[in-house]
Amino acid sequence: KQEVTQIPAALSVPEGENLVLNCSFTDSAIYNLQWFRQDPGKGLTSLLLIQSSQREQTSGRLNASLDKSSGRSTLYIAASQPGDSATYLCAVKWGSARQLTFGSGTQLTVLP
Amino acid sequence: GAGVSQSPSNKVTEKGKDVELRCDPISGHTALYWYRQRLGQGLEFLIYFQGNSAPDKSGLPSDRFSAERTGGSVSTLTIQRTQQEDSAVYLCASSSPGTGLNQPQHFGDGTRLSIL
């Protein structure tokens, strides 16, 4: 069964700290992997998409890496800010499907 | 440009009533997806459209759920004879044709459905 897991479910850090969010997936035959943030009561905002042929993608203070062989992706957030507080979701598209399969998310709180 | 638009943003209805949820994707996006997010749970895939056809309806939880898309644009998700377990946020996403499947999905803010 194709599944996506995110650990921890919640994380609290002081402002300014660098942090890493983890995502693991079964079945390494992925098409791509997408990281989203979700603010309370809102939809999902796409942060980064990594194609299966790529190792990492960067956008501003965010860097996402992909290691297909180990079934893992990480989202690195540099110099965290209170505005980064949100739930971060990892989603995988496998080659046999069009839809995304989501992890349950990591709820991040950055304390001022 | 405009993002994915969903309406209504909130819907409260009595058990047994029918509801219609609307999604207006980003202009030019040929692929459209519906997902459901129950309280405290992850997102579940419901249905996928490519143009006006729905090649994958595998996620629809029962025959009370149906969806259509017209003109390759607006989509409507209909839930008949609503039950309390249908209470959730219903999210719509769209993606551009691009090359193959490697296009990001862009989400709307969702419709929060509450069944009394």
Side-chain angles (χ1 to χ4, degrees):
Chain A
K1 185 180 178 183
Q2 294 168 331
E3 294 181 333
V4 180
T5 303
Q6 292 185 251
I7 296 173
L11 179 65
S12 183
V13 300
E15 181 177 4
E17 191 163 296
N18 301 325
L19 62 100
V20 173
L21 305 179
N22 297 298
C23 172
S24 61
F25 48 90
T26 58
D27 190 350
S28 61
I30 71 170
Y31 225 95
N32 61 47
L33 184 148
Q34 200 167 350
W35 282 94
F36 296 88
R37 69 174 279 168
Q38 186 174 29
D39 295 283
K42 294 289 188 179
L44 279 64
T45 301
S46 178
L47 298 174
L48 291 164
L49 180 144
I50 309 179
Q51 299 179 15
S52 61
S53 59
Q54 297 175 322
R55 300 281 289 187
E56 65 178 326
Q57 282 282 356
T58 298
S59 175
R61 295 183 293 110
L62 305 180
N63 176 277
S65 68
L66 175 64
D67 184 343
K68 286 196 304 179
S69 61
S70 66
R72 297 182 66 176
S73 175
T74 62
L75 179 67
Y76 174 83
I77 303 177
S80 58
Q81 303 170 358
D84 295 330
S85 298
T87 296
Y88 288 80
L89 295 163
C90 167
V92 173
K93 178 179 284 185
W94 275 283
S96 59
R98 297 278 178 166
Q99 72 272 20
L100 294 171
T101 299
F102 283 82
S104 54
T106 295
Q107 184 174 358
L108 173 66
T109 302
V110 181
L111 303 170
Chain B
V4 177
S5 178
Q6 291 188 246
S7 62
S9 55
N10 286 282
K11 177 72 174 179
V12 180
T13 192
E14 294 179 348
K15 176 182 172 181
K17 300 286 189 182
D18 298 350
V19 295
E20 283 190 355
L21 312 180
R22 176 188 168 105
C23 173
D24 202 339
I26 293 172
S27 178
H29 281 196
T30 56
L32 185 147
Y33 307 80
W34 284 97
Y35 294 87
R36 177 172 73 175
Q37 187 175 34
R38 290 173 169 172
L39 186 63
Q41 298 186 24
L43 276 81
E44 308 169 71
F45 166 75
L46 297 178
I47 188 170
Y48 154 71
F49 285 91
Q50 180 60 45
N52 290 336
S53 63
D56 190 347
K57 304 179 183 179
S58 61
L60 294 178
S62 77
D63 59 6
R64 296 186 295 104
F65 287 72
S66 63
E68 65 175 14
R69 189 179 184 194
T70 56
S73 181
V74 172
S75 176
T76 303
L77 177 68
T78 301
I79 309 173
Q80 295 179 309
R81 305 181 302 282
T82 52
Q83 303 296 313
Q84 288 189 331
E85 62 263 27
D86 299 334
S87 296
V89 177
Y90 290 81
L91 290 159
C92 175
S94 68
S95 63
S96 64
T99 41
L101 303 174
N102 273 324
Q103 295 299 314
Q105 292 185 20
H106 300 274
F107 282 76
D109 283 343
T111 293
R112 186 174 301 275
L113 177 64
S114 299
I115 310 299
L116 302 179

mmCIF file of all heavy atoms in Angstrom, chain B residues 60-88:
data_model
loop_
_atom_site.group_PDB
_atom_site.id
_atom_site.type_symbol
_atom_site.label_atom_id
_atom_site.label_comp_id
_atom_site.label_asym_id
_atom_site.label_seq_id
_atom_site.Cartn_x
_atom_site.Cartn_y
_atom_site.Cartn_z
ATOM 1 N N LEU B 60 -14.532 8.379 -4.464
ATOM 2 C CA LEU B 60 -15.879 8.747 -4.007
ATOM 3 C C LEU B 60 -16.365 7.713 -3.000
ATOM 4 O O LEU B 60 -16.412 6.520 -3.302
ATOM 5 C CB LEU B 60 -16.839 8.839 -5.188
ATOM 6 C CG LEU B 60 -16.567 9.958 -6.189
ATOM 7 C CD1 LEU B 60 -17.566 9.918 -7.340
ATOM 8 C CD2 LEU B 60 -16.608 11.321 -5.501
ATOM 9 N N PRO B 61 -16.746 8.148 -1.790
ATOM 10 C CA PRO B 61 -17.034 7.200 -0.704
ATOM 11 C C PRO B 61 -18.317 6.410 -0.864
ATOM 12 O O PRO B 61 -18.424 5.333 -0.291
ATOM 13 C CB PRO B 61 -17.069 8.090 0.540
ATOM 14 C CG PRO B 61 -17.321 9.469 0.044
ATOM 15 C CD PRO B 61 -16.779 9.558 -1.324
ATOM 16 N N SER B 62 -19.281 6.934 -1.596
ATOM 17 C CA SER B 62 -20.544 6.203 -1.791
ATOM 18 C C SER B 62 -21.257 6.756 -3.011
ATOM 19 O O SER B 62 -20.847 7.761 -3.594
ATOM 20 C CB SER B 62 -21.426 6.343 -0.546
ATOM 21 O OG SER B 62 -22.035 7.626 -0.512
ATOM 22 N N ASP B 63 -22.352 6.104 -3.378
ATOM 23 C CA ASP B 63 -23.113 6.574 -4.546
ATOM 24 C C ASP B 63 -23.913 7.830 -4.246
ATOM 25 O O ASP B 63 -24.597 8.369 -5.124
ATOM 26 C CB ASP B 63 -24.015 5.472 -5.104
ATOM 27 C CG ASP B 63 -25.014 4.960 -4.086
ATOM 28 O OD1 ASP B 63 -25.094 5.542 -2.974
ATOM 29 O OD2 ASP B 63 -25.710 3.981 -4.377
ATOM 30 N N ARG B 64 -23.834 8.325 -3.004
ATOM 31 C CA ARG B 64 -24.482 9.603 -2.704
ATOM 32 C C ARG B 64 -23.645 10.777 -3.232
ATOM 33 O O ARG B 64 -24.119 11.889 -3.311
ATOM 34 C CB ARG B 64 -24.673 9.772 -1.187
ATOM 35 C CG ARG B 64 -25.617 8.745 -0.567
ATOM 36 C CD ARG B 64 -25.871 9.066 0.902
ATOM 37 N NE ARG B 64 -24.678 8.957 1.738
ATOM 38 C CZ ARG B 64 -23.987 9.989 2.201
ATOM 39 N NH1 ARG B 64 -24.366 11.224 1.926
ATOM 40 N NH2 ARG B 64 -22.922 9.786 2.963
ATOM 41 N N PHE B 65 -22.393 10.474 -3.548
ATOM 42 C CA PHE B 65 -21.468 11.500 -4.029
ATOM 43 C C PHE B 65 -21.366 11.440 -5.555
ATOM 44 O O PHE B 65 -21.206 10.349 -6.129
ATOM 45 C CB PHE B 65 -20.071 11.291 -3.454
ATOM 46 C CG PHE B 65 -19.932 11.640 -2.000
ATOM 47 C CD1 PHE B 65 -20.507 10.836 -1.023
ATOM 48 C CD2 PHE B 65 -19.227 12.763 -1.606
ATOM 49 C CE1 PHE B 65 -20.383 11.153 0.324
ATOM 50 C CE2 PHE B 65 -19.089 13.088 -0.268
ATOM 51 C CZ PHE B 65 -19.663 12.279 0.700
ATOM 52 N N SER B 66 -21.450 12.602 -6.198
ATOM 53 C CA SER B 66 -21.254 12.674 -7.642
ATOM 54 C C SER B 66 -20.607 14.010 -7.966
ATOM 55 O O SER B 66 -20.659 14.946 -7.168
ATOM 56 C CB SER B 66 -22.573 12.509 -8.391
ATOM 57 O OG SER B 66 -23.452 13.567 -8.062
ATOM 58 N N ALA B 67 -19.989 14.076 -9.127
ATOM 59 C CA ALA B 67 -19.367 15.324 -9.545
ATOM 60 C C ALA B 67 -19.434 15.431 -11.050
ATOM 61 O O ALA B 67 -19.454 14.415 -11.755
ATOM 62 C CB ALA B 67 -17.911 15.389 -9.071
ATOM 63 N N GLU B 68 -19.472 16.665 -11.516
ATOM 64 C CA GLU B 68 -19.418 16.907 -12.943
ATOM 65 C C GLU B 68 -18.588 18.150 -13.214
ATOM 66 O O GLU B 68 -18.368 18.975 -12.318
ATOM 67 C CB GLU B 68 -20.820 17.066 -13.531
ATOM 68 C CG GLU B 68 -21.593 18.272 -13.046
ATOM 69 C CD GLU B 68 -22.924 18.423 -13.768
ATOM 70 O OE1 GLU B 68 -23.375 17.481 -14.436
ATOM 71 O OE2 GLU B 68 -23.513 19.508 -13.661
ATOM 72 N N ARG B 69 -18.163 18.235 -14.466
ATOM 73 C CA ARG B 69 -17.397 19.400 -14.889
ATOM 74 C C ARG B 69 -17.876 19.766 -16.284
ATOM 75 O O ARG B 69 -18.020 18.891 -17.144
ATOM 76 C CB ARG B 69 -15.900 19.091 -14.911
ATOM 77 C CG ARG B 69 -15.032 20.323 -15.137
ATOM 78 C CD ARG B 69 -13.567 19.948 -15.113
ATOM 79 N NE ARG B 69 -12.737 21.156 -15.228
ATOM 80 C CZ ARG B 69 -11.445 21.141 -15.493
ATOM 81 N NH1 ARG B 69 -10.808 19.995 -15.672
ATOM 82 N NH2 ARG B 69 -10.767 22.260 -15.571
ATOM 83 N N THR B 70 -18.136 21.024 -16.490
ATOM 84 C CA THR B 70 -18.659 21.482 -17.767
ATOM 85 C C THR B 70 -17.739 22.533 -18.385
ATOM 86 O O THR B 70 -17.119 23.333 -17.659
ATOM 87 C CB THR B 70 -20.061 22.083 -17.592
ATOM 88 O OG1 THR B 70 -20.002 23.125 -16.617
ATOM 89 C CG2 THR B 70 -21.048 21.027 -17.134
ATOM 90 N N GLY B 71 -17.637 22.478 -19.711
ATOM 91 C CA GLY B 71 -16.832 23.461 -20.425
ATOM 92 C C GLY B 71 -15.366 23.414 -20.069
ATOM 93 O O GLY B 71 -14.640 24.391 -20.296
ATOM 94 N N GLY B 72 -14.927 22.289 -19.495
ATOM 95 C CA GLY B 72 -13.528 22.171 -19.111
ATOM 96 C C GLY B 72 -13.124 23.147 -18.035
ATOM 97 O O GLY B 72 -11.932 23.400 -17.823
ATOM 98 N N SER B 73 -14.126 23.678 -17.308
ATOM 99 C CA SER B 73 -13.810 24.689 -16.309
ATOM 100 C C SER B 73 -14.462 24.351 -14.982
ATOM 101 O O SER B 73 -13.976 23.483 -14.264
ATOM 102 C CB SER B 73 -14.249 26.073 -16.807
ATOM 103 O OG SER B 73 -13.929 27.062 -15.864
ATOM 104 N N VAL B 74 -15.602 24.962 -14.693
ATOM 105 C CA VAL B 74 -16.237 24.843 -13.380
ATOM 106 C C VAL B 74 -16.657 23.398 -13.102
ATOM 107 O O VAL B 74 -17.141 22.686 -13.983
ATOM 108 C CB VAL B 74 -17.462 25.768 -13.300
ATOM 109 C CG1 VAL B 74 -18.252 25.536 -12.024
ATOM 110 C CG2 VAL B 74 -17.023 27.223 -13.412
ATOM 111 N N SER B 75 -16.458 22.995 -11.848
ATOM 112 C CA SER B 75 -16.884 21.667 -11.400
ATOM 113 C C SER B 75 -17.833 21.800 -10.217
ATOM 114 O O SER B 75 -17.695 22.716 -9.397
ATOM 115 C CB SER B 75 -15.672 20.824 -10.999
ATOM 116 O OG SER B 75 -16.072 19.571 -10.483
ATOM 117 N N THR B 76 -18.770 20.869 -10.132
ATOM 118 C CA THR B 76 -19.707 20.820 -9.016
ATOM 119 C C THR B 76 -19.646 19.443 -8.373
ATOM 120 O O THR B 76 -19.733 18.428 -9.069
ATOM 121 C CB THR B 76 -21.148 21.096 -9.484
ATOM 122 O OG1 THR B 76 -21.204 22.367 -10.129
ATOM 123 C CG2 THR B 76 -22.105 21.085 -8.312
ATOM 124 N N LEU B 77 -19.473 19.429 -7.066
ATOM 125 C CA LEU B 77 -19.533 18.193 -6.289
ATOM 126 C C LEU B 77 -20.872 18.182 -5.570
ATOM 127 O O LEU B 77 -21.201 19.126 -4.853
ATOM 128 C CB LEU B 77 -18.385 18.134 -5.279
ATOM 129 C CG LEU B 77 -18.349 16.936 -4.331
ATOM 130 C CD1 LEU B 77 -18.047 15.647 -5.095
ATOM 131 C CD2 LEU B 77 -17.301 17.141 -3.225
ATOM 132 N N THR B 78 -21.656 17.124 -5.789
ATOM 133 C CA THR B 78 -22.979 17.019 -5.190
ATOM 134 C C THR B 78 -23.006 15.866 -4.193
ATOM 135 O O THR B 78 -22.541 14.761 -4.509
ATOM 136 C CB THR B 78 -24.053 16.793 -6.274
ATOM 137 O OG1 THR B 78 -24.019 17.894 -7.199
ATOM 138 C CG2 THR B 78 -25.435 16.706 -5.650
ATOM 139 N N ILE B 79 -23.534 16.152 -3.024
ATOM 140 C CA ILE B 79 -23.728 15.110 -2.020
ATOM 141 C C ILE B 79 -25.220 15.019 -1.751
ATOM 142 O O ILE B 79 -25.855 15.997 -1.346
ATOM 143 C CB ILE B 79 -22.988 15.417 -0.703
ATOM 144 C CG1 ILE B 79 -21.515 15.754 -0.980
ATOM 145 C CG2 ILE B 79 -23.078 14.216 0.246
ATOM 146 C CD1 ILE B 79 -20.754 16.235 0.253
ATOM 147 N N GLN B 80 -25.780 13.843 -2.004
ATOM 148 C CA GLN B 80 -27.221 13.643 -1.783
ATOM 149 C C GLN B 80 -27.467 13.005 -0.419
ATOM 150 O O GLN B 80 -26.622 12.257 0.098
ATOM 151 C CB GLN B 80 -27.778 12.727 -2.877
ATOM 152 C CG GLN B 80 -27.711 13.321 -4.274
ATOM 153 C CD GLN B 80 -28.240 12.372 -5.332
ATOM 154 O OE1 GLN B 80 -27.824 11.207 -5.383
ATOM 155 N NE2 GLN B 80 -29.145 12.842 -6.165
ATOM 156 N N ARG B 81 -28.601 13.335 0.163
ATOM 157 C CA ARG B 81 -29.019 12.721 1.440
ATOM 158 C C ARG B 81 -27.868 12.753 2.431
ATOM 159 O O ARG B 81 -27.417 11.717 2.934
ATOM 160 C CB ARG B 81 -29.498 11.298 1.200
ATOM 161 C CG ARG B 81 -30.612 11.187 0.159
ATOM 162 C CD ARG B 81 -31.071 9.736 -0.028
ATOM 163 N NE ARG B 81 -29.994 8.836 -0.421
ATOM 164 C CZ ARG B 81 -29.497 8.738 -1.634
ATOM 165 N NH1 ARG B 81 -29.973 9.506 -2.613
ATOM 166 N NH2 ARG B 81 -28.526 7.872 -1.900
ATOM 167 N N THR B 82 -27.405 13.958 2.743
ATOM 168 C CA THR B 82 -26.207 14.116 3.566
ATOM 169 C C THR B 82 -26.343 13.409 4.908
ATOM 170 O O THR B 82 -27.421 13.340 5.510
ATOM 171 C CB THR B 82 -25.889 15.600 3.801
ATOM 172 O OG1 THR B 82 -27.074 16.253 4.290
ATOM 173 C CG2 THR B 82 -25.427 16.258 2.535
ATOM 174 N N GLN B 83 -25.198 12.903 5.382
ATOM 175 C CA GLN B 83 -25.074 12.253 6.674
ATOM 176 C C GLN B 83 -24.064 13.037 7.513
ATOM 177 O O GLN B 83 -23.240 13.794 6.976
ATOM 178 C CB GLN B 83 -24.577 10.809 6.489
ATOM 179 C CG GLN B 83 -25.452 9.954 5.602
ATOM 180 C CD GLN B 83 -26.830 9.735 6.189
ATOM 181 O OE1 GLN B 83 -26.955 9.408 7.374
ATOM 182 N NE2 GLN B 83 -27.861 9.910 5.386
ATOM 183 N N GLN B 84 -24.104 12.832 8.807
ATOM 184 C CA GLN B 84 -23.204 13.574 9.687
ATOM 185 C C GLN B 84 -21.740 13.294 9.379
ATOM 186 O O GLN B 84 -20.896 14.188 9.524
ATOM 187 C CB GLN B 84 -23.532 13.288 11.152
ATOM 188 C CG GLN B 84 -24.837 13.933 11.601
ATOM 189 C CD GLN B 84 -25.077 13.852 13.089
ATOM 190 O OE1 GLN B 84 -24.602 12.914 13.738
ATOM 191 N NE2 GLN B 84 -25.825 14.794 13.629
ATOM 192 N N GLU B 85 -21.443 12.088 8.929
ATOM 193 C CA GLU B 85 -20.050 11.753 8.624
ATOM 194 C C GLU B 85 -19.548 12.470 7.364
ATOM 195 O O GLU B 85 -18.349 12.389 7.054
ATOM 196 C CB GLU B 85 -19.859 10.245 8.463
ATOM 197 C CG GLU B 85 -20.642 9.620 7.331
ATOM 198 C CD GLU B 85 -21.942 8.996 7.793
ATOM 199 O OE1 GLU B 85 -22.487 9.459 8.811
ATOM 200 O OE2 GLU B 85 -22.392 8.051 7.121
ATOM 201 N N ASP B 86 -20.453 13.168 6.650
ATOM 202 C CA ASP B 86 -20.024 13.951 5.493
ATOM 203 C C ASP B 86 -19.428 15.299 5.913
ATOM 204 O O ASP B 86 -18.857 16.013 5.078
ATOM 205 C CB ASP B 86 -21.198 14.205 4.538
ATOM 206 C CG ASP B 86 -21.800 12.932 3.978
ATOM 207 O OD1 ASP B 86 -21.071 11.910 3.905
ATOM 208 O OD2 ASP B 86 -22.993 12.941 3.627
ATOM 209 N N SER B 87 -19.567 15.655 7.181
ATOM 210 C CA SER B 87 -19.013 16.917 7.668
ATOM 211 C C SER B 87 -17.496 16.913 7.486
ATOM 212 O O SER B 87 -16.806 16.007 7.959
ATOM 213 C CB SER B 87 -19.349 17.119 9.143
ATOM 214 O OG SER B 87 -20.748 17.244 9.337
ATOM 215 N N ALA B 88 -16.992 17.914 6.783
ATOM 216 C CA ALA B 88 -15.577 17.978 6.452
ATOM 217 C C ALA B 88 -15.324 19.272 5.693
ATOM 218 O O ALA B 88 -16.261 20.009 5.356
ATOM 219 C CB ALA B 88 -15.166 16.782 5.578
#
